[in-house]
C-alpha cells in the first residue's frame, strides 16, 4: 500500500478541467492506497483573493470532494492551513530549493507575465517549495495531478533526492507524479489553445454551472471549419478537446470516441458531449447540494485535521531531527 496525496487550491470555482484532470481520479485510489486529499488554501493566498470568496471556495471544494466519491472513512480530507506543519516544513525546505529552479517553473512564468511586476508576492515564487512540503509530510509516493502540475512534482522529487543525499539517508520518500492517460489537460471552450483554468474563467465549464448554460457553452464551443470528428490537436484543437472531454467522462479511448462519431456532423457530436457532461454534473450537483450546508462538512474536516496532524507531526519531527534542530529526546 502506497501513500497517495493530491490537493486543489481554492482560487476560484472548480472547473470541468479540475474534475477530469484531478478530482475524478482521486476516489479510485482509496480502496488500495492510503489517500490524503487536501484543500491547498495557503496556496490560494499567492494571488489576491477576497476573504469571503476564499472561505466559500474552500467549503465548495470539500463538498465537491465528497460529492465526487471521496469517503472520509477511507481517505484523509483536510485543510492545509489547519495543519501547521505545512508552514513549518516550508521554512526548512526553502533552504534546499534553488532560486534558479524556481525561476524556471512554467506556472510561475505564466502567472507573473499577467501581473504588475511591482506587485508580485514572494509566495507565488516559492509556491513549489510549499507544495513539496505538502507531499513530504505524508510520505506520499504517488501524486495524481493534471499535466500542468507535473513540473512542480518533479521539482519536489529533485528536492527530496537532494535532501536525502545531503544527509546520506532516506529521510524523505521520493514522490512521482501520476498523470491520467486521458484528460490531463482540458482546454478552454472559447480558446482551445489555452488551458481551462479556475482563475481565468473565459471558456470554462464550472461544476456549479446550471445545466442549461453548460449545454449552451458546449454547443457554442469554438471548433474549426471542417466537418470530420477526428482527433488532431494541431489542426482541430476544439474538436480534439471535446473528444478528450467525451472520452474521459465515458471512460473510453479517444479512438473509440472517434469511431462513435464517424460520419456525424459537429452539431450531433456537440449534443452528445453536452449530454454526457450534463449527466455527470447533475449527479455531482445533487450530492453537492445535500452536503454544502450540512454540519457533516465540518465533521469531515475535523476528523481529517486530527488524522493529518498526527502523521505530519511525526514526519516533521523526523526531518527536524535530521537537520539538527534540537529537541529533548
Ligand atoms: N484544464 C485542466 N485540465 C486537466 N487538469 C487540470 N487541473 C487544473 N486545470 C486542469 C488539475 O486540477 C488540479 C488542481 O490544481 P490547483 O488548484 O492546485 O491549480 P492549477 O493546476 O493551477 O489549476 P487551475 O484550475 O488552473 O487553477 P488556477 O487558475 O488557480 O491556477 C491539479 O491536479 C491540476 O493539474
Amino acid at each position: 500500500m502506497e501513500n497517495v496525496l493530491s490537493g486543489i487550491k481554492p482560487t476560484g470555482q472548480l472547473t470541468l478541467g479540475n474534475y477530469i484532470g484531478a478530482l475524478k481520479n482521486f476516489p479510485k485510489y482509496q480502496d488500495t492506497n492510503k489517500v490524503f486529499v487536501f484543500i491547498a488554501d495557503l496556496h490560494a493566498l499567492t494571488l489576491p483573493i477576497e476573504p469571503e470568496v476564499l472561505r466559500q471556495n474552500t467549503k465548495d471544494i470539500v463538498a465537491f470532494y465528497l460529492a465526487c466519491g471521496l469517503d472520509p472513512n477511507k481517505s484523509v480530507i483536510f485543510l492545509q492551513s489547519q495543519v501547521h506543519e505545512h508552514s513549518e516544513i516550508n521554512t526548512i525546505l526553502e533552504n534546499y530549493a534553488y532560486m534558479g529552479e524556481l525561476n524556471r517553473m512554467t506556472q510561475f512564468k505564466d502567472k507573473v507575465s499577467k501581473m504588475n511586476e511591482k506587485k508580485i508576492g514572494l509566495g507565488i515564487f516559492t509556491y513549489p517549495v510549499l507544495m513539496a512540503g505538502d507531499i513530504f509530510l505524508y510520505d506520499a509516493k504517488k501524486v495524481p495531478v493534471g499535466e500542468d502540475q507535473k513540473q512542480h512534482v518533479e521539482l519536489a522529487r529533485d528536492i527530496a533526492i537532494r535532501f536525502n543525499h545531503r544527509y546520506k539517508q532516506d529521510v524523505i520518500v521520493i514522490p512521482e507524479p501520476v498523470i491520467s492517460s486521458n484528460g490531463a489537460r482540458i482546454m478552454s471552450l472559447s480558446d482551445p489553445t489555452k488551458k481551462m483554468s479556475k482563475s481565468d474563467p473565459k471558456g470554462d465549464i464550472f461544476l456549479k454551472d446550471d445545466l442549461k448554460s453548460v449545454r449552451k457553452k458546449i454547443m457554442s464551443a469554438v471548433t474549426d471549419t471542417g466537418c470530420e470528428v477526428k482527433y488532431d490537436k494541431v489542426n482541430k484543437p476544439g474538436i480534439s478537446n471535446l473528444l478528450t472531454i467525451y472520452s474521459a467522462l465515458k471512460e473510453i479511448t479517444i479512438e473509440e470516441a472517434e469511431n462513435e462519431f464517424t460520419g456525424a456532423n459537429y452539431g450531433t457530436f456537440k449534443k452528445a458531449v453536452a449530454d454526457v457532461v450534463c449527466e455527470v454534473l447533475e449527479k455531482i450537483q445533487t450530492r453537492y447540494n445535500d452536503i454544502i450546508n450540512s454540519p457533516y462538512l465540518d465533521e469531515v474536516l475535523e476528523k481529517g485535521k486530527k488524522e493529518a496532524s498526527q502523521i505530519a507531526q511525526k514526519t516533521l519531527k523526523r526531518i527536524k531531527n535530521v537537520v539538527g534542530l534540537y529537541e529533548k529526546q
Side-chain angles (χ1 to χ4, degrees), residues 9 11 107 111 146 148-149 186 195-199:
K9 55 182 193 291
T11 39
Q107 217 180 47
K111 298 241 148 131
D148 55 315
Q149 288 290 342
I186 301 299
K195 191 188 84 153
M196 189 182 281
S197 211
K198 335 179 197 81
S199 59

Side-chain angles (χ1 to χ4, degrees), residues 67-83:
C68 290
L70 279 172
D71 176 351
N73 292 317
K74 295 180 182 168
S75 300
V76 184
I77 303 169
F78 63 100
L79 301 189
Q80 184 186 33
S81 64
Q82 291 189 346
V83 181

Side-chain angles (χ1 to χ4, degrees), residues 145-212:
V145 283
E147 185 70 42
D148 55 315
Q149 288 290 342
K150 184 169 171 238
Q151 195 185 29
H152 291 161
V153 183
E154 284 167 352
L155 176 62
R157 197 181 160 80
D158 290 345
I159 297 172
I161 292 170
R162 184 176 304 144
F163 191 97
N164 289 350
H165 186 74
R166 161 81 175 80
Y167 296 101
K168 297 185 180 61
Q169 45 184 307
D170 294 335
V171 194
I172 295 174
V173 172
I174 314 289
E176 60 188 61
V178 183
I179 313 283
S180 73
S181 54
N182 191 10
R185 196 170 168 83
I186 301 299
M187 311 307 276
S188 155
L189 296 188
S190 57
D191 179 356
T193 60
K194 269 179 49 192
K195 191 188 84 153
M196 189 182 281
S197 211
K198 335 179 197 81
S199 59
D200 187 5
K202 223 171 136 252
D204 280 9
I205 289 182
F206 296 108
L207 299 188
K208 270 167 79 169
D209 274 347
D210 75 90
L211 301 182
K212 232 176 165 180

Side-chain angles (χ1 to χ4, degrees), residues 51-112:
E52 267 322 305
V53 174
L54 175 57
R55 262 187 283 275
Q56 185 58 45
N57 289 346
T58 302
K59 273 183 72 183
D60 270 357
I61 298 185
V62 184
F64 275 121
Y65 277 164
L66 298 166
C68 290
L70 279 172
D71 176 351
N73 292 317
K74 295 180 182 168
S75 300
V76 184
I77 303 169
F78 63 100
L79 301 189
Q80 184 186 33
S81 64
Q82 291 189 346
V83 181
H84 63 79
E85 284 78 8
H86 287 258
S87 305
E88 219 176 313
I89 194 173
N90 178 54
T91 308
I92 296 176
L93 291 177
E94 276 178 353
N95 304 299
Y96 301 83
Y98 299 144
M99 306 264 292
E101 54 195 2
L102 292 175
N103 253 323
R104 282 196 295 276
M105 292 294 110
T106 312
Q107 217 180 47
F108 169 69
K109 287 194 278 193
D110 276 1
K111 298 241 148 131
V112 301

